[in-house]
Amino acid sequence: MTPVDRLSAALSDRYRIEREIGAGGMATVYLAEDLKHHRQVAIKVLRPELGAVIGAERFLSEIRTTANLQHPHILPLFDSGIASLTTHDSRLTDSLNTHDSRLLFYVMPFIEGESLRDRLAREKQLPIDDAVRITTEVASALDYAHRHGVIHRDIKPGNILLHDGRALVADFGIALAASKAGGARMTETGMSLGTPHYMSPEQAMGERELTARSDVYALGCVLYEMLTGDPPFTGSAAQAILARVVTESPRPMIPQRHTIPPQVEAATLTALEKLPADRFATAKEFADALSRPHVTTATRPLVLTSSRRAVALPVLAVTTVLSLLAAAWAFSRAGRTDPPTSWQYVSLGDSVSVSAVAPSLALSPDGATLVIKDNTLAGLLWAKRAGALNPIVIAGTERAGTPVFSPDGEWIAFIADQRLRKVRLSGGAVTTLADSAAGSARGFGFGGVAWLEDGTLVYVSPDFNRLIRVSASGGSGTVLLDNTGLQGQGFNYPVALPGTRGVLVQVCNSGCGIMSLRVLDLRTGKLKLLLNEAAQALYLPTGHILYIRRDGAALVAPFDLDRLELTGSAVEVLDRVVVNRGFAQLTASSSGSVVYAKGEGGNDDNTIVRVALDGTIALIDSAWAGRFSSVAIAPDGRRLAVGAGTGTGGLNIWIKQLDRGPFTRLSFGGADRRPVWSPDGRTVAFIRDTLGTGVVAARFADGSRPDTVLVHLSQQVQEVDWSRDGRWLVVRTDNAAEGAGDLIGVRTNGDTTPVVLVGSPFTELNPAISPDGLWLAYASNESGRNEVYVRPFPNTADGRWQVSTAGGVQPRWATDSRELYYLDAASQLIAARVTTSPTFAVTELHPLFDASVLSPDPFHQSYDVMPDGRYLLFAFPRQSASASRAPTLVRVDGWFRDLRARLARH
């Protein structure tokens, strides 16, 4: 029996399969007879490995959505379902590259005609009127689908059918379902979503949340090919094509075919803009622009051939021409020679993705070289030079953080292993300039260095209390400033001002829950406040300070470099800059180039979500958002305590009644975070950040009594847990100077002398006492990377067992004390089943779901377990792209021209 016979048998109650008529990357197409209606149909059977990734329920759900799209230029859907092969036949499974017996299929009309791909293969280029008509019809179909919430994701000539002189768009459901299944799982099948020649830059960069503008881009590619004979970008391999998609601009069309009307070229090139915001907002706008002679692109002048220039110029009003000439004369008189502004995505190839947990970008003074800190545990720096497709690793930069260029662009300074180091951009030996500088051993956040024009560097001490100056040649450092009078706040991210006039510096505490921008006057040694609630800042040669707010908006304000004062109001010039824990992913050069990571606002803007054990995420309250740094559920499961930042109020503890109840402020210390509930649910304990010492305070959850200090240590405290019998608090200390922390126990009554539970030269994190009070789980890097361990409690010297096998942090116990959750090195949530008799042992490790999309804090507990054991609570970024994938990098060259234009409008 042939494969066709076997498939026909599986669908014999409805269809008779006649023959295979096509095969593509995602499906095989069969011609069949609909037995009920006696008509020919086309049945598409998904490749089984794709079906396995998507899943039957998701596939049928998305197909139901697209089945409701009723439009004259959308190919209708007749049927869909699952075909079960009742017996095993190797010929059939070999034909379908599978040994699965369940196949997903959907049924469409059989179209007598051809696809646009067939016509282009035959004719190469289409008549202009035909190309515009086909594009307009497809745009009409897309506009209808977009208004119904459906993005196609795979517009290409092969999915545009030509029947009786009209275009029909096919395959609305597959790409949508596959995209929701997850790009990483798709990669495992050897397939990708979309076709490289027609992918939008954001789709090529891996963004999963695509908009209608992505389909507009793909349709622009199709029109470009219909008119010129080739897609906008071609290459010998998919990787080469995608690299050109994100880095190059398409060739003008009129020089390739002079009969193309100017408005058609202008509309097509607008549809092909790199940034979605620069394209048409809707497919209808694209179609309308094709028929309007006055339409030109917003970002590039309309290029006319000599034969057309005489016709086009009279359309302009005489006053407009004179105004343009006057503006050009004034511009030249002002001596401004800024190059034109251009925007593009930055491709880093397959080797590098940008770190989302540290300042990761540095641009050379001439703008020609971008240095990137990668998103691996190695934490290497890479250099991407202008014109190069891929970046090159800078040897010797393991665990680097906060890179910065020397004023001449020849050297890179960075912090690694809490040492200030430098290396030539061209390569060579790494030189250590200072042995003690702020920065994690893995280069995560905080600290930083500035390279001044006089050949000195300013960096932050390990305790964040001092700014220290050292020569670029090395030697002993000089303290420029300590934090006296700053009420326990610490320094971060110094930035040099021209002429060694001063240093911009961020001042913050509580993990930058509170932050401000200040300037150190190097003439007087005094520190001035410039702005509150501002992340990193840069000085621009235009005479402005560029700074980023916590919500991801970048603003410029005029700045007097002599008096070190802001002299005017700020103007917003960029948006959606990625901001994470007080730092912004943005860098600029004195030549007028800017590179920044683009997202949906700041990572600090988040909400709390309820996550099922299968990874399903549900909002607790859709109206609830803020800057939540920690989360703890009450024993009754009806109240939630969170650390939340609220602007000038600082970071405090708040109580949320679940689900849609009030959100009430509990503490007023301004530097309060990481709450934990008492076993009876009456009290909330929390850490009060004093930077240098460790305080655990407590307050009744109803706010009826003042704060009570439960723990006061000479070392800073970062985390706290409360035993279920109420007798113990376990805190994690932090020795900033040594980059290590220990676990300390303090009894709540009787002898309250602190007891070292786990003390070592290594870093212990995330203490978690089991609900039965017999075990202490925690993370330690004693093996060279963080793993989860368990010890008896409180007699922790009686044993130690390793739980995780592939990295682990943030252990949390299930309510029965027989299961322990933790995050592995890849941010997978793992459930470890344990037994305690006759001794402690791990009996099973079961991966639950990928938690990277939830952007867990690398150093502190990021979630809690609901009392019913069925759900977890996470602080979920409103900009969910932060840690689940690399940020999208945008480069703007000639930005000063755009900046001056924006400022002129204000």
Side-chain angles (χ1 to χ4, degrees):
M1 185 177 290
T2 67
V4 170
D5 292 335
R6 298 296 300 149
L7 187 61
S8 186
L11 299 175
S12 60
D13 59 332
R14 287 177 284 177
Y15 305 102
R16 181 176 61 84
I17 309 297
E18 296 182 5
R19 67 180 188 275
E20 180 182 322
I21 58 175
M26 293 189 177
T28 303
V29 188
Y30 296 89
L31 176 63
E33 179 187 358
D34 180 345
L35 298 177
K36 180 178 181 179
H37 300 97
H38 303 290
R39 60 186 176 185
Q40 284 189 314
V41 295
I43 299 180
K44 281 200 171 185
V45 180
L46 265 63
R47 283 176 54 178
E49 56 266 48
L50 174 60
V53 167
I54 295 176
E57 292 185 4
R58 178 179 281 116
F59 169 75
L60 295 176
S61 173
E62 298 306 335
I63 285 295
R64 280 194 295 270
T65 299
T66 57
N68 290 318
L69 297 178
Q70 303 296 321
H71 188 274
H73 294 293
I74 293 179
L75 188 67
L77 183 74
F78 287 163
D79 192 10
S80 63
I82 304 171
S84 297
L85 306 181
T86 56
T87 61
H88 207 73
D89 188 296
S90 62
R91 289 170 297 176
L92 177 58
T93 54
D94 289 347
S95 165
L96 297 170
N97 297 315
T98 185
H99 296 285
D100 196 351
S101 61
R102 287 162 50 88
L103 302 174
L104 306 179
F105 72 92
Y106 60 105
V107 183
M108 308 169 296
F110 174 68
I111 301 298
E112 293 282 0
E114 62 182 351
S115 70
L116 178 58
R117 170 54 61 216
D118 297 329
R119 185 173 176 186
L120 286 172
R122 186 177 67 252
E123 299 181 22
K124 185 69 172 174
Q125 293 169 284
L126 303 191
I128 291 171
D129 289 345
D130 280 5
V132 171
R133 176 184 55 79
I134 291 171
T135 302
T136 302
E137 291 175 351
V138 173
S140 174
L142 290 176
D143 183 67
Y144 170 84
H146 295 161
R147 285 185 281 109
H148 286 76
V150 179
I151 309 299
H152 191 287
R153 290 173 167 78
D154 196 20
I155 291 295
K156 59 184 178 181
N159 279 335
I160 299 172
L161 306 181
L162 304 177
H163 178 63
D164 286 342
R166 66 190 179 101
L168 294 170
V169 181
D171 282 1
F172 262 98
I174 297 181
L176 177 59
S179 70
K180 293 187 176 181
R185 296 182 63 204
M186 281 291 295
T187 302
E188 294 171 2
T189 71
M191 293 174 283
S192 61
L193 302 179
T195 305
H197 294 96
Y198 311 98
M199 277 189 181
S200 65
E202 61 271 25
Q203 190 175 10
M205 294 292 289
E207 291 194 22
R208 292 181 60 189
E209 297 300 323
L210 301 177
T211 68
R213 297 176 196 253
S214 183
D215 281 349
V216 167
Y217 182 96
L219 183 56
C221 292
V222 172
L223 177 56
Y224 190 103
E225 183 176 1
M226 286 192 287
L227 294 175
T228 68
D230 292 299
F233 304 105
T234 58
S236 58
Q239 183 179 0
I241 297 169
L242 295 179
R244 297 188 65 195
V245 166
V246 300
T247 61
E248 297 182 12
S249 297
R251 293 171 55 204
M253 302 166 68
I254 291 176
Q256 300 179 67
R257 185 176 178 182
H258 71 87
T259 55
I260 296 174
Q263 76 272 11
V264 172
E265 181 195 53
T268 306
L269 295 180
T270 298
L272 295 176
E273 286 288 354
K274 298 295 183 197
L275 293 181
D278 292 336
R279 299 177 210 142
F280 298 106
T282 67
K284 183 179 185 301
E285 288 183 12
F286 182 18
D288 291 345
L290 292 171
S291 60
R292 293 203 302 268
H294 65 279
V295 171
T296 60
T297 61
T299 57
R300 59 168 63 83
L302 180 61
V303 179
L304 302 177
T305 62
S306 58
S307 61
R308 294 180 177 271
R309 193 173 289 120
V311 177
L313 280 177
V315 176
L316 292 173
V318 173
T319 55
T320 302
V321 174
L322 292 176
S323 298
L324 290 173
L325 291 174
W329 178 85
F331 188 81
S332 64
R333 292 283 292 174
R336 295 174 180 168
T337 57
D338 296 332
T341 302
S342 65
W343 301 69
Q344 60 182 311
Y345 286 100
V346 179
S347 171
L348 300 177
D350 296 330
S351 302
V352 183
S353 60
V354 179
S355 172
V357 293
S360 306
L361 307 173
L363 198 57
S364 61
D366 62 3
T369 303
L370 175 67
V371 167
I372 311 107
K373 170 186 167 58
D374 72 25
N375 198 32
T376 66
L377 289 178
L380 289 161
L381 298 181
W382 299 70
K384 181 177 174 63
R385 302 178 189 275
L389 183 60
N390 293 312
I392 299 172
V393 69
I394 303 175
T397 59
E398 291 84 1
R399 299 171 301 281
T402 57
V404 63
F405 272 91
S406 61
D408 61 8
E410 297 293 323
W411 294 82
I412 299 291
F414 58 94
I415 308 295
D417 300 325
Q418 295 194 312
R419 292 176 172 85
L420 173 60
R421 292 172 170 165
K422 70 172 184 176
V423 64
R424 282 192 180 275
L425 182 62
S426 57
V430 174
T431 302
T432 297
L433 302 178
D435 288 326
S436 188
S440 163
R442 290 187 181 175
F444 290 113
F446 305 131
V449 57
W451 200 317
L452 281 61
E453 292 178 358
D454 67 352
T456 62
L457 296 95
V458 174
Y459 65 95
V460 180
S461 64
D463 59 5
F464 304 100
N465 287 333
R466 292 162 293 156
L467 292 177
I468 302 173
R469 191 174 190 174
V470 67
S471 169
S473 302
S476 59
T478 301
V479 175
L480 292 177
L481 189 71
D482 62 29
N483 67 348
T484 302
L486 291 179
Q487 299 178 344
Q489 298 178 3
F491 299 121
N492 277 313
Y493 316 131
V495 175
L497 290 174
T500 316
R501 177 66 183 89
V503 176
L504 299 173
V505 64
Q506 182 195 77
V507 177
C508 69
N509 67 359
S510 296
C512 282
I514 311 163
M515 61 185 185
S516 61
L517 177 65
R518 307 192 184 212
V519 58
L520 172 62
D521 189 332
L522 291 177
R523 294 176 184 171
T524 65
K526 294 184 178 180
L527 198 65
K528 292 183 179 181
L529 174 66
L530 295 179
L531 296 160
N532 284 311
E533 286 300 292
Q536 287 162 278
L538 300 169
Y539 178 81
L540 303 177
T542 57
H544 296 82
I545 292 291
L546 169 68
Y547 67 94
I548 300 89
R549 286 195 314 239
R550 200 185 289 270
D551 63 359
L555 301 93
V556 296
F559 184 74
D560 188 312
L561 189 56
D562 184 59
R563 291 184 294 150
L564 301 181
E565 295 177 356
L566 296 173
T567 59
S569 58
V571 174
E572 184 172 335
V573 292
L574 296 170
D575 62 2
R576 301 172 64 194
V577 178
V578 170
V579 178
N580 192 352
R581 301 181 182 95
F583 68 81
Q585 295 285 24
L586 181 146
T587 182
S589 73
S590 55
S591 64
S593 296
V594 174
V595 177
Y596 67 98
K598 182 179 180 182
E600 297 297 332
N603 283 356
D604 293 351
D605 183 18
N606 57 11
T607 188
I608 306 297
V609 293
R610 183 184 286 111
V611 186
L613 296 183
D614 64 358
T616 303
I617 298 172
L619 284 174
I620 289 178
D621 186 337
S622 59
W624 191 35
R627 296 198 303 274
F628 304 124
S629 63
S630 46
V631 54
I633 185 69
D636 61 11
R638 297 196 300 267
R639 294 166 296 162
L640 193 62
V642 297
T646 56
T648 57
L651 189 63
N652 293 288
I653 306 302
W654 295 66
I655 303 295
K656 167 73 170 175
Q657 303 292 327
L658 298 182
D659 277 350
R660 296 183 179 275
F663 184 46
T664 307
R665 184 171 175 175
L666 179 66
S667 79
F668 296 83
D672 302 337
R673 52 190 174 145
R674 304 194 185 103
V676 62
W677 290 83
S678 63
D680 60 9
R682 298 179 59 197
T683 306
V684 178
F686 50 88
I687 295 167
R688 176 154 291 162
D689 191 358
T690 62
L691 196 64
T693 62
V695 172
V696 177
R699 190 180 181 97
F700 278 116
D702 61 7
S704 59
R705 298 184 188 178
D707 297 347
T708 300
V709 175
L710 301 180
V711 177
H712 193 177
L713 302 178
S714 59
Q715 292 174 294
Q716 190 175 16
V717 169
Q718 291 288 348
E719 294 176 285
V720 60
D721 197 20
W722 204 327
S723 66
R724 300 307 183 269
D725 61 9
R727 297 178 180 178
W728 286 90
L729 290 167
V730 176
V731 299
R732 188 257 289 188
T733 63
D734 183 24
N735 187 335
E738 298 177 4
D742 295 326
L743 303 184
I744 306 295
V746 179
R747 293 179 178 86
T748 56
N749 53 53
D751 183 3
T752 59
T753 303
V755 176
V756 177
L757 299 174
V758 186
S760 74
F762 308 104
T763 297
E764 281 76 43
L765 303 169
N766 317 137
I769 306 170
S770 61
D772 61 13
L774 300 178
W775 307 96
L776 174 65
Y778 63 96
S780 173
N781 64 354
E782 64 184 71
S783 68
R785 70 174 176 182
N786 282 323
E787 299 282 3
V788 172
Y789 299 87
V790 168
R791 291 176 182 258
F793 181 80
N795 300 316
T796 53
D798 291 348
R800 178 181 64 87
W801 295 269
Q802 183 173 327
V803 175
S804 59
T805 59
V809 292
Q810 301 195 36
R812 284 292 200 202
W813 292 92
T815 52
D816 62 1
S817 298
R818 293 297 176 262
E819 201 162 39
L820 184 64
Y821 304 114
Y822 67 89
L823 297 172
D824 70 9
S827 291
Q828 285 274 330
L829 188 75
I830 308 296
R833 194 68 184 173
V834 303
T835 182
T836 59
S837 179
T839 184
F840 186 92
V842 178
T843 60
E844 181 185 7
L845 293 179
H846 178 58
L848 295 178
F849 58 84
D850 180 4
S852 62
V853 69
L854 298 164
S855 189
D857 185 324
F859 299 114
H860 309 102
Q861 288 284 13
S862 301
Y863 67 101
D864 203 0
V865 181
M866 293 284 287
D868 62 10
R870 299 169 54 201
Y871 297 97
L872 311 172
L873 297 180
F874 277 84
F876 180 66
R878 305 288 279 197
Q879 176 201 299
S880 61
S882 60
S884 62
R885 57 175 171 79
T888 298
L889 290 185
V890 177
R891 180 181 177 110
V892 191
D893 291 314
W895 185 62
F896 290 162
R897 172 175 290 193
D898 179 80
L899 174 62
R900 288 189 173 103
R902 290 173 184 264
L903 294 174
R905 291 195 292 269
H906 290 80

